[in-house]
Amino acid sequence: MGNSGSAVKVCTDHQGGINWLSLSPDGQRLLTGSEDGTARLWSTADSQCHGHFQGHESYITFCHLENEAAFTCSADHTIRKWDVVTGQCLAVYRGHTSIVNRILVAKDYLFSGSYDRTARCWSVDKEKQIQEFRGHRNCVLTLAHYSSRDVLEEEEEEEEEEEKVSRDLLVTGSTDCTVKVWWVSSGRCYQTLLGHTGAVLCLILDAPNRELFSGSTDYTIRTWNIVTGEQLKVFKEHQGSVICLELVNRHLYSGSADRTVKCWFVDTGERIQTYKAHKHSVSTLKYHAGILFTGSGDACARAFNSRSGVLQKIFRGHKFIINCIQIHNELLYTASHDGTLRIWDIRGILQGRGSQKGSLSRLFNNKVGCMVQQENGEHEAVELM
């Protein structure tokens, strides 16, 4: 009745919970940031730890990995840049006056959001603060970045003469219930998006379609026109905070404290699928090759057929919440508050996906229901054949 779902490898090097997991653009390395105040660099080729970054004076809240440099932010109010080859700390970015909870690297910019109610922009190479974005009435939780060239027509850009030196914009979501859009060059607030009645926990940007999606503790997802600031749609079916979002081919996936993930067709606002079976909040999700992978507060990761909603596999072994997942070369990486990084072989699921298409269509055409076994101690999951 399916594979056992046991991990290929369990990495136990951290001495505290892992808060974030980042994959390098070239797929060669992974970076984990931990409650133990350190970050570790892992090779995806051999799953070994090849770097241990020490220097923060408190826990690491978030991390980001580029091909040649790693970035970490911490409750010690700082951000650090590290050389992925030598492990040397290359820069310390100081200026925030409270916990730095999120960073974003774009072009030559490093952006950060903090509990001090500000977001900031730094020069990646010069270790210098370029801009401060002040205006939120509470902590900044989430960030997104885009260029006006991606969304504005030429005649619209003419109207923004004072900003023509730099056309980059930063989007911030806050516990003050607002989303703000800022010109990076001046620090001026371009738009304040009003509508949420709870903290904004997550943002997804679709610049080519001029759309921004925000998820909130008010149980809703809202869609905005990022040029005009107009609220376009409100997705209301969740019964708990919206914790994470992913956009794939005009399909929006939302993970919630109500223990479900929902899939929405963005163009119409229609909810087209609900993925159940979680026993706690859905803390993280990732779509890959027709499969929706989720991590939950119930310490399990799961794989669903994204189209049918059928649960295909449960990955058991973690002791606490799974905070982040990554996928590379048919391996699933899960990072948990239990301090471990677990690596799972998902070849069976991905290969089975191709063989399922024909049989699934026959099942649906014949109106035969698909049954999924209940979770129990005997079987980890059921895989469709």
Side-chain angles (χ1 to χ4, degrees):
M1 297 294 292
N3 294 337
S4 65
S6 58
V8 174
K9 183 171 183 181
V10 182
C11 306
T12 60
D13 303 55
H14 278 297
Q15 302 303 305
I18 300 174
N19 288 326
W20 203 255
L21 172 65
S22 180
L23 178 68
S24 62
D26 62 14
Q28 293 185 14
R29 300 180 177 93
L30 287 157
L31 180 69
T32 50
S34 172
E35 290 280 321
D36 65 15
T38 74
R40 288 182 179 268
L41 193 69
W42 311 83
S43 167
T44 55
D46 60 13
S47 302
Q48 297 296 318
C49 180
H50 290 270
H52 188 205
F53 305 148
Q54 303 177 77
H56 280 295
E57 297 176 3
S58 188
Y59 62 90
I60 292 175
T61 55
F62 190 85
C63 59
H64 175 82
L65 185 58
E66 294 289 316
N67 291 336
E68 298 178 356
F71 298 84
T72 55
C73 60
S74 169
D76 68 7
H77 308 177
T78 71
I79 305 145
R80 288 176 178 257
K81 177 185 178 183
W82 312 84
D83 187 303
V84 299
V85 176
T86 66
Q88 178 185 358
C89 181
L90 301 175
V92 181
Y93 306 87
R94 305 181 190 275
H96 281 295
T97 58
S98 188
I99 297 169
V100 184
N101 54 65
R102 190 57 54 101
I103 51 178
L104 185 157
V105 178
K107 303 178 184 176
D108 297 324
Y109 296 133
L110 168 65
F111 298 98
S112 56
S114 169
Y115 277 78
D116 67 10
R117 305 183 182 188
T118 72
R120 299 177 192 232
C121 176
W122 316 79
S123 167
V124 168
D125 297 325
K126 297 180 181 178
E127 201 173 345
K128 183 178 75 171
Q129 181 176 305
I130 297 173
Q131 196 55 259
E132 179 178 325
F133 309 94
R134 188 174 290 274
H136 280 296
R137 290 175 287 105
N138 216 323
C139 57
V140 178
L141 294 180
T142 184
L143 306 170
H145 165 271
Y146 68 99
S147 169
S148 64
R149 292 173 179 160
D150 298 331
V151 300
L152 295 178
E153 303 295 340
E154 288 186 14
E155 60 271 17
E156 292 174 306
E157 290 197 43
E158 297 281 329
E159 298 172 7
E160 301 293 344
E161 287 294 333
E162 68 176 275
E163 308 297 345
K164 290 191 78 171
V165 176
S166 173
R167 296 170 177 176
D168 290 282
L169 294 106
L170 176 70
V171 186
T172 54
S174 168
T175 54
D176 68 7
C177 310
T178 72
V179 176
K180 288 181 178 287
V181 184
W182 314 80
W183 286 107
V184 171
S185 58
S186 67
R188 180 172 67 88
C189 184
Y190 170 62
Q191 297 278 5
T192 298
L193 311 182
L194 302 172
H196 281 297
T197 58
V200 178
L201 302 182
C202 47
L203 296 171
I204 287 286
L205 186 64
D206 182 6
N209 288 295
R210 300 182 166 198
E211 290 180 340
L212 176 74
F213 303 87
S214 55
S216 169
T217 59
D218 66 10
Y219 303 0
T220 71
I221 305 151
R222 294 169 193 258
T223 311
W224 314 84
N225 181 304
I226 53 177
V227 176
T228 67
E230 177 189 2
Q231 182 176 284
L232 304 175
K233 294 186 184 73
V234 183
F235 305 93
K236 291 183 174 180
E237 291 191 29
H238 277 297
Q239 301 301 309
S241 298
V242 179
I243 297 170
C244 46
L245 295 171
E246 181 149 21
L247 182 65
V248 182
N249 298 327
R250 303 301 288 167
H251 289 77
L252 181 69
Y253 297 88
S254 55
S256 171
D258 67 8
R259 308 183 180 189
T260 73
V261 175
K262 294 183 184 292
C263 177
W264 316 81
F265 186 49
V266 170
D267 294 340
T268 64
E270 175 190 8
R271 192 265 303 155
I272 56 179
Q273 191 57 262
T274 298
Y275 309 87
K276 302 178 181 179
H278 308 95
K279 296 180 179 178
H280 205 283
S281 301
V282 178
S283 47
T284 183
L285 57 83
K286 190 166 289 290
Y287 174 96
H288 181 77
I291 305 296
L292 180 69
F293 294 89
T294 65
S296 171
D298 64 14
C300 292
R302 291 175 172 82
F304 296 87
N305 182 297
S306 62
R307 180 168 294 184
S308 68
V310 171
L311 175 65
Q312 293 189 253
K313 197 174 194 64
I314 304 171
F315 303 90
R316 289 189 175 96
H318 283 296
K319 303 302 182 186
F320 297 113
I321 183 173
I322 296 173
N323 288 321
C324 197
I325 58 181
Q326 293 288 348
I327 298 164
H328 180 67
N329 276 356
E330 300 183 321
L331 291 174
L332 170 69
Y333 298 85
T334 57
S336 167
H337 203 69
D338 65 12
T340 68
L341 171 67
R342 290 177 181 256
I343 306 168
W344 317 79
D345 188 339
I346 57 172
R347 283 176 297 179
I349 300 173
L350 300 180
Q351 291 168 1
R353 167 76 179 155
S355 63
Q356 286 166 20
K357 290 182 179 178
S359 58
L360 272 175
S361 64
R362 288 193 295 275
L363 281 172
F364 292 134
N365 288 339
N366 293 328
K367 299 183 179 179
V368 177
C370 296
M371 297 182 65
V372 178
Q373 182 166 332
Q374 296 289 328
E375 298 176 35
N376 55 45
E378 298 296 323
H379 302 287
E380 299 295 332
V382 174
E383 293 191 25
L384 294 177
M385 299 301 293

